Amino acid sequence: MTVIFNDPASFVDDQLEGFAELYADRLRMVPGGVVGHREGPPRVAVVIGGGSGHYPAFAGLVGPGFAAGAVVGNVFTSPSAAQVYSVAKASDQGRGVILSFGNYAGDLMNFGIAADRLRSEGVDTRIVTVTDDIASSPTVAGRRGIAGDFTVFKVMGAAAEKGSSLDDVERLGRLANDRTRSFGVAFTGCTLPGAAAPLFVVPDGEMSIGLGIHGEPGVSDTPRLTSRELAAVLVDGVLSERPSAASARVAVIVNGLGSTKHEELFILWRDVAELLRRHDLAPVGAEVGELVTSLDMGGCSLTVMWLDDELEAAWQADAYTPAYRKVGAATARLRPADLGAVADELGRVPESTAAARALVPAFRSAAGLVSRVLHDNEAELGRIDAVAGDGDHGRGMVKGADAAAAALSAADGGGVAWNLRRAGREWAAQAGGTSGVLWGAGIEAAAAVIGDDRETYDATIAPAAVDAFLAAVIELGGAQPNDKTMVDALTPFAATLRER
């Protein structure tokens, strides 16, 4: 929900003033939007724009290697022809202007009127409309522009920065649009400043496939999917519209729509990249993050632009704007880190007795039981932890137990103590946090007491192992009984086990 504002009616002007003041070193406000500061010889002016609510589009993309200016309309509303004219006029450097925007009726009319006025004054003005959203129409001419705006703007901005002619910048923009396809989904609606309810509602537990960035209707609502399943829907959708004569090298954007977190997008990117490679496509310079948003909408989209040599050079070219920076020189000389040989002290299986080896299946079974119990109680452990902590204890315990169980299941030789040490280290590595360290240390301490050199294991071994576990936890964590920690459960358990 959009909650920070003064007067909803002045939301756009207020945010633009704050933005322009923050980045006054590289751009300035003009009526209707912002224009970038200049250096070097005159260039073709790429002027982009549309309604507010989509940051970084559009004002955040003004700068070297990208747009010369951005027109900013009201939230989800086309800027007026006067605003477009004002920004374009201020951006013009004498080599012509290209106006570029998504394919929406209001934008077509207002940018078109402004273009006519500019031409009447002798400014050579071209229009490149973005039509990347495959869900919005079966015909290209009827498709709206969504995150594909970014690829088209980026290509034209790079060409202009290079000093290309107006004809070449326009040609590359149209080629980029012809080669770009996008497909998106929404999980939640977005709320306009001052509104009491979302602009639209996605049913609980569902997702809207093909939804537009202003909340335009999608293709269908369906139950939410896992990341792998969602990646398959997005990839299959985009590839079903693969352009003719397409190459195997593609620019890819996994775009968040406003409230979908970067960590979620990273998971989706991993799954998307795997599917693209299965289709023999090679991602080039992939971008994952918020590039064309919709206020606080929950959702994401996939954009693919099929590259040729010209498009790839423009896509990979340097750019520096408030919201986007690509500097090839910063990584050009980097090489993979030389990690050297990482010693694995548990890699060699040590000697063990037959009795020690015979205990491994029992511990394997026990580890599986622990894992199942923790899975059943993950939510409750998280709820309890959230009372005084951050609510992640259930997830951490499940990850630790699963890792330990997997280590024991993979055991191929060795005695119980050696395999238990491996399980303890996997628990600590995967669970993380305080509990992960404590459980890992406790399991390793128990393993040291059990040992792999006994000919028989009697009833004294288990209590001794638990005592060692408890001692390790107290030594490492510093807690004592009645401190309200796991020690309060371990201490009576260890005592009862010894007695019985």
Side-chain angles (χ1 to χ4, degrees):
M1 186 172 184
T2 306
V3 297
I4 299 179
F5 53 85
N6 293 311
D7 180 353
S10 64
F11 178 83
V12 172
D13 292 338
D14 293 346
Q15 64 87 20
L16 192 60
E17 287 178 10
F19 171 79
E21 181 173 336
L22 179 63
Y23 295 108
D25 62 327
R26 62 201 76 176
L27 51 79
R28 64 186 175 93
M29 276 189 70
V30 298
V34 294
V35 173
H37 299 330
R38 305 169 186 169
E39 66 173 357
R43 299 178 177 90
V44 171
V46 177
V47 176
I48 62 177
S52 295
H54 303 302
Y55 191 87
F58 299 93
L61 303 179
V62 172
F66 231 116
V71 194
V72 181
N74 286 325
V75 177
F76 297 171
T77 304
S78 169
S80 68
Q83 290 175 312
V84 177
Y85 171 82
S86 169
V87 175
K89 191 74 171 176
S91 300
D92 179 31
Q93 301 172 42
R95 296 195 57 191
V97 173
I98 293 183
L99 304 177
S100 192
F101 49 90
N103 187 31
Y104 299 92
D107 292 307
L108 287 168
M109 287 187 287
N110 284 299
F111 278 85
I113 292 170
D116 287 341
R117 182 177 175 186
L118 289 164
R119 291 176 189 132
S120 70
E121 297 178 3
V123 179
D124 194 346
T125 305
R126 316 288 175 86
I127 290 178
V128 174
T129 310
V130 183
T131 57
D132 60 304
D133 184 11
I134 63 172
S136 54
S137 175
T139 64
V140 174
R143 291 177 178 172
R144 59 200 172 206
I146 52 174
D149 284 357
F150 189 91
T151 63
V152 177
F153 299 165
K154 172 68 171 66
V155 165
M156 290 195 294
E161 184 71 20
K162 183 181 174 183
S164 299
S165 68
L166 183 63
D167 288 341
D168 277 343
V169 176
E170 179 188 18
R171 176 183 60 81
L172 278 174
R174 295 187 183 281
L175 178 61
N177 184 61
D178 290 343
R179 299 285 185 88
T180 298
R181 306 287 187 272
S182 296
F183 195 29
V185 299
F187 311 128
T188 61
C190 54
T191 307
L192 298 176
L199 189 62
F200 64 93
V201 175
V202 179
D204 289 343
E206 296 191 0
M207 51 191 276
S208 186
I209 296 179
L211 199 89
I213 56 175
H214 308 111
E216 300 95 339
V219 176
S220 63
D221 289 342
T222 186
R224 289 185 186 175
L225 305 174
T226 66
S227 176
R228 288 190 179 91
E229 293 167 338
L230 176 57
V233 169
L234 296 175
V235 170
D236 289 347
V238 169
L239 296 192
S240 70
E241 294 285 335
R242 183 173 182 158
S244 59
S247 71
R249 295 177 67 77
V250 290
V252 184
I253 297 173
V254 173
N255 175 62
L257 289 173
S259 65
T260 301
K261 305 306 294 181
H262 280 71
E263 290 88 345
E264 297 174 87
L265 298 176
F266 296 151
I267 296 171
L268 182 60
W269 160 245
R270 180 199 63 179
D271 297 332
V272 164
E274 179 182 349
L275 290 175
L276 291 175
R277 285 190 283 267
R278 286 185 193 174
H279 286 279
D280 297 322
L281 295 174
V284 175
E287 298 289 347
V288 177
E290 295 184 341
L291 299 176
V292 180
T293 64
S294 186
L295 286 177
D296 58 338
M297 185 190 296
C300 58
S301 62
L302 172 66
T303 297
V304 175
M305 176 173 65
W306 279 264
L307 301 170
D308 62 12
D309 290 345
E310 279 188 298
L311 291 177
E312 182 170 344
W315 175 247
Q316 292 286 72
D318 288 358
Y320 190 88
T321 77
Y324 178 79
R325 295 160 196 181
K326 182 189 285 277
V327 183
T331 58
R333 295 186 299 276
L334 297 183
R335 56 184 174 80
D338 183 7
L339 300 179
V342 179
D344 180 7
E345 62 185 275
L346 295 176
R348 296 187 305 276
V349 180
E351 295 293 328
S352 58
T353 64
R357 294 191 294 275
L359 280 176
V360 173
F363 275 80
R364 182 182 297 139
S365 176
L369 175 60
V370 171
S371 177
R372 291 193 295 275
V373 170
L374 287 172
H375 272 277
D376 290 343
N377 293 276
E378 177 183 352
E380 176 64 6
L381 289 171
R383 185 194 68 79
I384 295 170
D385 182 38
V387 173
D390 53 9
D392 66 345
H393 184 60
R395 180 88 292 265
M397 290 292 282
V398 164
K399 291 184 69 175
D402 284 353
L408 285 165
S409 294
D412 185 15
V416 63
W418 181 75
N419 281 289
L420 197 55
R421 284 199 302 275
R422 293 180 57 177
R425 294 185 185 185
E426 284 299 310
W427 186 306
Q430 297 303 318
T434 304
S435 64
V437 175
L438 293 173
W439 272 82
I443 292 172
E444 287 204 60
V449 168
I450 295 170
D452 282 331
D453 56 351
R454 303 174 189 272
E455 295 300 332
T456 60
Y457 290 83
D458 61 26
T460 66
I461 301 302
V466 172
D467 285 343
F469 187 111
L470 174 58
V473 168
I474 290 175
E475 179 182 1
L476 185 60
Q480 297 297 321
N482 299 319
D483 283 346
K484 299 182 179 179
T485 72
M486 62 194 292
V487 170
D488 290 344
L490 273 168
T491 301
F493 174 76
T496 304
L497 186 63
R498 281 194 305 275
E499 292 168 4
R500 298 185 182 180

